[in-house]
Amino acid sequence: MSVLYDASKCTACQACSVACKQWNTLPAEKTTFTSSYQTHDQLTPKTWTFIAFDEVYENNKMQWLFRKEQCMHCGEAACLQSCNHDAISHTELGFVVIDHNKCIGCGFCVTNCTFHVPRVDPVTNKAYKCTGCPERVGNGLAPACVQTCQPEALVYGKREDIMALAEARFKALQPLHPKANLYSAPNLQGINFTYILLREPKFYGLPDEPRVPVSVHAWKQVLRPFGEIAIAGALLTTAISFIKTRKKDDEKNAGKSRDQGVGKNG
Ligand code: SF4
Ligand code: SF4
Ligand code: SF4
């Protein structure tokens, strides 16, 4: 399943942020005034989505660029690959979730996420982010943020239907916005929040060609398995050495007993 966020239809009403807080029983947080209409300036363990307002000045004109920030639910997820405790997984419907029974709050997912999304709560020592509303989507409902969006800037559905809708809307938008961008991250085997943007990704602070960092690939596919083999090897060597030493000691003790026995009898 997938979600489309269409920036050309978003009015930045922020109802999606409120619905997310409400459904997930996340408390409101105090924010500071930054001389912008933007309420939150970053994701937190208790704020899993917000609308970022970017101002672009060109030809003496200012253009608002809105973008809904949340976990992108990557097909190839750097957070999942970098987690040493297998606390992160894909659900059957393709969303990326964190198992808080396994998470130890090490922050590897925070450091390695392609979009800088998860946040560790210093009180619970667990990482948090948008879950994709598994309790809703698992029961055939749309995620809370999608459900509340009035101008249909957010649409939820089967991946192929969402991609077809995204292509159609993007095509229709291009004559008016020739610099619009369909952001679907093919290098990550797709993302579950596909975006239609009014400008190139850099204007929204997004990487042009997002991908899993090479260091994460190296860790997951080479170093970690090698490390596991090395640990297993070290344990095996210790076990063999222990058995050998024990055998020698036994032989020595047996020799001593024999000698003592000979002395007594002789
Ligand atoms: S609810 Fe819809 S229109 Fe309102 S801010 Fe969210 S995505 Fe934009
Ligand atoms: S956006 Fe970050 S946290 Fe979300 S799935 Fe992708 S890598 Fe993981
Ligand atoms: S999918 Fe659910 S958890 Fe994620 S931003 Fe929307 S409401 Fe929040």
Side-chain angles (χ1 to χ4, degrees), residues 6-211:
D6 183 346
S8 73
K9 291 192 181 286
C10 177
T11 59
C13 67
Q14 311 194 48
C16 49
S17 322
V18 176
C20 179
K21 289 241 177 211
Q22 216 167 22
W23 178 258
N24 293 295
T25 55
L26 299 167
E29 293 181 288
K30 271 193 179 171
T31 54
T32 45
F33 182 59
T34 57
S35 70
S36 157
Y37 286 107
Q38 187 172 320
T39 50
H40 294 80
D41 63 351
Q42 58 172 317
L43 299 168
T44 76
K46 296 183 180 79
T47 297
W48 299 347
T49 187
F50 68 92
I51 299 291
F53 287 55
D54 284 305
E55 296 171 20
V56 175
Y57 295 87
E58 268 174 348
N59 304 324
N60 290 327
K61 277 188 185 164
M62 191 275 274
Q63 183 187 14
W64 283 115
L65 296 179
F66 306 136
R67 176 171 76 92
K68 182 178 177 299
E69 285 212 22
Q70 78 294 298
C71 170
M72 303 293 261
H73 297 279
C74 311
E76 193 186 2
C79 59
L80 186 158
Q81 296 199 10
S82 60
C83 180
N84 248 337
H85 294 268
D86 298 325
I88 306 183
S89 59
H90 279 110
T91 64
E92 265 181 28
L93 296 180
F95 292 96
V96 176
V97 290
I98 302 175
D99 179 346
H100 288 135
N101 290 321
K102 291 183 179 172
C103 174
I104 60 156
C106 64
F108 274 24
C109 57
V110 180
T111 315
N112 290 301
C113 167
T114 316
F115 300 98
H116 191 48
V117 170
R119 297 288 191 275
V120 173
D121 186 328
V123 177
T124 62
N125 213 25
K126 308 278 177 195
Y128 297 88
K129 65 171 196 68
C130 156
T131 58
C133 293
E135 326 75 14
R136 294 181 60 88
V137 297
N139 286 295
L141 299 171
C145 55
V146 179
Q147 186 69 37
T148 204
C149 180
Q150 293 304 307
E152 294 192 358
L154 288 167
V155 188
Y156 171 72
K158 282 187 184 155
R159 185 157 179 76
E160 55 272 28
D161 295 344
I162 290 297
M163 290 316 290
L165 176 67
E167 295 279 357
R169 281 196 188 181
F170 179 60
K171 216 171 158 188
L173 191 67
Q174 271 180 320
L176 273 177
H177 295 275
K179 291 180 180 168
N181 188 279
L182 182 54
Y183 196 74
S184 60
N187 292 328
L188 295 174
Q189 294 173 24
I191 39 182
N192 257 14
F193 270 80
T194 297
Y195 286 163
I196 292 177
L197 305 172
L198 292 176
R199 292 298 303 263
E200 302 88 324
K202 66 177 178 190
F203 286 94
Y204 294 86
L206 288 166
D208 275 340
E209 291 184 6
R211 50 182 85 233

